[in-house]
Amino acid sequence: MLKAPEIYLNSILKKAGVEREITCLIDRFITENNKNLHFIIDEKVLRLSDLLIRQCQGLKGKATFNFPIGQKVISLKHQNAVFTIYALHPEPVLKDKQSTVTVRNLNGYIPLSNSDITQLGTIRNRITDFKRIFQAEKQSDFFCNEKLLVIGNRNLFLEIPKEHPACFVWEKNDGEINIEYNSPLLPKIAILKNINILDKYIKKEINGDQLTFSTCIFIGSSKFENSINIIRNYYNQRRFSKVVFIGEKDIKIDLGNNHVPLRWKWTIPEIKFFRNERNIQHEFIIVQNGELEKAITEFYQAVKEIENKHTIGLKPIYRFIRRLYYDWNLRQETTIVKLQQIQQEFDIALKQLLIETLGNIFTDFDFEEYQKPLSAKFAKIIEVIKTNNKTEKLKYYQKQIHQLILPSFLSNINKRELDEIASQTYKCVKANSLQAIKKLQNDLSDHLSNPNREYYSFTANGKITEIVSLSKSDDSNEKFQKIITSIYGSGKVEKLIEKLARAKTEYKLLLYSIEEKALQFYLDKYHEALNKEYVSADRYSICGVEFNDPYYQYTNFDNWLKDFFTYKTESRETDIYRITFTDNSKYKLPATKTVLKIQDKEKLLVLVEDLNVGDKVIIYSNPDKETMRAIFELKNPELQKTAEDYSIRWRTCLKEACQNNITEESLYQQLKNNHFSVSELTFRKYLEGEVMFPRSFADLLIIAKTINDPRLSFDFLKNTMKPKIEEYRGKEIEYGFKFSNSINHYIITGEVDEFISEWLKNEELDNIVSQIPVKTIKEIELITTNNDD
């Protein structure tokens, strides 16, 4: 769904000198950077206890300790008893349960915390661990005057290994501070439930007047989002010299005096990269309704004309279009009633919107001038969506659906309808005799497994589909087939994208073709946001690695072309079959193309990859380019015009550059020096206008780079021209497949489908079909080719 910038991340890991683990990387960022940091990430992703024990490794603090009366101590050398300081002057007096000891000084004694641990064996073990972990040798190594200050929850405290002394501090209802220790040794990590109790903790902690904190780490957005003022005050008072914020909320943090933490927002693709999770490519079930797409486009155009004419905004009524994508029911008759209700609500909302906008400009404005035609256009949308819609698609869907994902507010009514459908399905099997009752179960099973019955997918194998909201959908069972019924209706589309990006199992998206285009728009916007994050100055300041991953970001022709050439070997491979027939004619066809195979006087649609030597086939070749272009122009006049304008633009620039070339080296040779891929003959075709666009977009980049014409600027090619070329070529392929499939359909059934009926009459079709020969395969060979474009 969203690919991780692996080159960039691997460069960061290499520079930091750490393995592929996000906690280690953040630890390195904190350690090596003396500035305040804000990592926007769900803290559950991190191994927080590891982060904290790493951060407390180098803490030393002062080499002295003010032993107070009442302080518990133990001899570092002998470790044979725990004493309490009874007096300090004129000489220290120590007491344990059985004896009183007077010593000359406290050299060699280490302070202990007020933990409940009193067993000597445990204390000795903790001292041994402390020596090993912190390379402690002398008395002062155990003083722990400098602590790592952490603001977090008790669960975090419980996760810290007992070998690393820590404490958890919280305030009771009566305002008294309570300190819980995990070790008899003084803590090196102090975890406070909130920052407001810092002063109270210092007053109560052993030797609190000597405590210092170099770093304060906030774990969880809730720990700092409402406490910025007090954090700012403590920071400005130098209670700690560096602050680190870790939490998933993207909150503006300003510590005053131009101290704004460096911000790093960890993205979903990055987190999946560190977790070694595979990138799920979700499938689409597209409802192709050309009339619907046309009607919606005309509606948008009409609204835009009014907006431009009067400089007003009418986009709020677009929400009714989005409702049509998801606001439907399992039963067609119920859906039609709901569509009529949406029409009524649209008319009311439209009138109110016109009053609020045009009514403020023209006091005597005739609102019906716009209301009637817009209402009629919306009614046209309603009319064409009554057939060839999502209800029909699911009614005859041929696979079991385990979870149908609907907006939560539509779930209950659809659940009731599904129960009714299931109940009626079971009633379809009846027993008319005592003997028939014995066969009842088998008959019911056969009926439920019949893929030709209505609502097959909902009650296959006797199981009813679970209808759930997006937030409650399952993401653990890989065998589950989960269908999301729209990109709308479940909150912001960005949240859907994130849900799909995080998914560990595959979803299928049931979308209208125009809705699929909208999803691509949102994906592009989301991708732009990722790029802005990756190239941020804050990130560079933290990691010292420039973002230059070619998959994500191009800044000039050179690095874009480098991407084409570097990743050419990673381009999508297309399986092509070379077929030789008994008449020695040859075809090259993609493995996924369908052709007609003659078997026992029947004509069957089969994939090219399923053909064998000796098979008799009928293979229809699409008409000439002029015919296909005429179809394209009638179906998509605006896209055709835009494509022709861009085609004229690049060819004009190329032709003028060739004519104005005054260097000794021909323009073709200059292009070849930049890795131009076509022959000189093809180059001449470019100049003579015989080619719409170069086959490879890399060649178009090379032309733009070489001739350096502002009309083919980098930004224009990247942001404007390339998307339109891709859309144009996609439509070319779509119409080519539709035309070929329509001919095959006519040959098999004698019926003219909707697509081809717009262009050809029955007599013309008969003439075409009569000229398609039946051929026998002599040889068939698989050729694997790279799709370099």
Side-chain angles (χ1 to χ4, degrees), residues 48-287:
L48 292 170
S49 61
D50 285 2
L51 176 64
L52 299 186
I53 62 178
R54 285 170 178 267
Q55 282 297 306
C56 74
Q57 290 291 330
L59 299 180
K60 294 294 183 183
K62 298 179 181 179
T64 61
F65 189 87
N66 296 333
F67 287 92
I69 294 175
Q71 171 73 57
K72 291 192 294 185
V73 295
I74 190 171
S75 171
L76 183 58
K77 183 178 181 180
H78 301 293
Q79 302 175 26
N80 54 5
V82 173
F83 296 97
T84 301
I85 299 176
Y86 181 75
L88 288 170
H89 301 289
E91 291 181 322
V93 178
L94 310 179
K95 282 189 175 184
D96 67 0
K97 293 180 180 179
Q98 299 176 349
S99 61
T100 300
V101 179
T102 300
V103 295
R104 294 182 59 185
N105 55 54
L106 291 173
N107 294 341
Y109 284 87
I110 61 173
L112 298 179
S113 69
N114 290 325
S115 71
D116 296 330
I117 299 172
T118 58
Q119 295 178 349
L120 276 175
T122 302
I123 296 174
R124 289 171 185 148
N125 289 338
R126 296 293 81 81
I127 292 173
T128 301
D129 293 333
F130 195 92
K131 287 180 177 180
R132 172 177 51 84
I133 294 170
F134 299 101
Q135 288 78 52
E137 297 176 358
K138 54 186 182 297
Q139 177 196 33
S140 60
D141 293 335
F142 290 81
F143 287 164
C144 300
N145 289 321
E146 181 184 4
K147 302 185 189 301
L148 177 68
L149 180 60
V150 181
I151 312 301
N153 291 322
R154 188 169 183 272
N155 287 338
L156 178 59
F157 165 71
L158 296 176
E159 290 174 5
I160 295 176
K162 57 183 178 295
E163 293 83 4
H164 292 76
C167 68
F168 178 66
V169 187
W170 74 98
E171 188 175 26
K172 299 179 181 178
N173 293 333
D174 58 6
E176 184 183 350
I177 289 297
N178 199 37
I179 306 177
E180 180 181 354
Y181 299 90
N182 72 341
S183 170
L185 302 185
L186 294 185
K188 292 184 76 71
I189 304 172
I191 302 177
L192 278 59
K193 190 170 184 180
N194 61 71
I195 190 64
N196 300 315
I197 60 176
L198 177 59
D199 286 334
K200 291 183 177 181
Y201 162 64
I202 290 174
K203 288 180 181 179
K204 187 168 183 178
E205 181 61 283
I206 301 164
N207 204 39
D209 58 340
Q210 284 188 289
L211 290 187
T212 60
F213 308 101
S214 59
T215 302
C216 179
I217 301 179
F218 289 83
I219 306 293
S221 303
S222 62
K223 296 300 179 182
F224 58 85
E225 62 178 321
N226 298 317
S227 304
I228 298 300
N229 287 335
I230 190 169
I231 295 169
R232 184 185 298 118
N233 291 337
Y234 279 143
Y235 177 73
N236 290 330
Q237 293 168 15
R238 309 305 295 167
R239 306 294 288 276
F240 32 79
S241 56
K242 183 167 71 174
V243 195
V244 178
F245 302 92
I246 298 175
E248 60 183 340
K249 287 191 178 180
D250 194 351
I251 300 167
K252 177 69 175 177
I253 300 174
D254 186 349
L255 299 176
N257 300 320
N258 296 321
H259 293 294
V260 176
L262 296 177
R263 172 190 173 282
W264 184 305
K265 184 174 183 178
W266 287 98
T267 65
I268 296 170
E270 289 177 309
I271 293 170
K272 294 193 75 167
F273 168 83
F274 282 106
R275 287 179 163 180
N276 287 314
E277 294 177 354
R278 64 190 180 100
N279 193 29
I280 304 294
Q281 295 299 323
H282 305 285
E283 293 186 10
F284 293 87
I285 306 168
I286 304 301
V287 180

Side-chain angles (χ1 to χ4, degrees), residues 740-779:
S740 176
N741 291 339
S742 296
I743 294 294
N744 288 336
H745 179 74
Y746 183 79
I747 293 173
I748 294 174
T749 66
E751 298 174 354
V752 183
D753 66 16
E754 180 182 349
F755 180 79
I756 207 168
S757 65
E758 296 181 62
W759 321 111
L760 298 172
K761 298 179 181 178
N762 286 52
E763 311 89 75
E764 296 171 307
L765 284 169
D766 288 333
N767 184 49
I768 291 173
V769 170
S770 65
Q771 297 181 49
I772 307 175
V774 176
K775 296 193 175 190
T776 303
I777 297 177
K778 179 181 177 182
E779 296 176 1

Side-chain angles (χ1 to χ4, degrees), residues 565 669-678 698-699 702:
F565 300 136
Q669 189 55 49
Q670 294 175 45
L671 292 168
K672 290 295 288 183
N673 293 342
N674 286 326
H675 307 289
F676 200 46
S677 69
V678 302
D699 282 337
I702 291 168

Side-chain angles (χ1 to χ4, degrees), residues 574-575 577 589-594 606-609 737:
T574 303
D575 286 338
Y577 283 84
L589 298 172
T592 54
K593 179 177 173 60
T594 54
V606 298
L607 297 175
V608 168
E609 63 185 6
F737 271 99

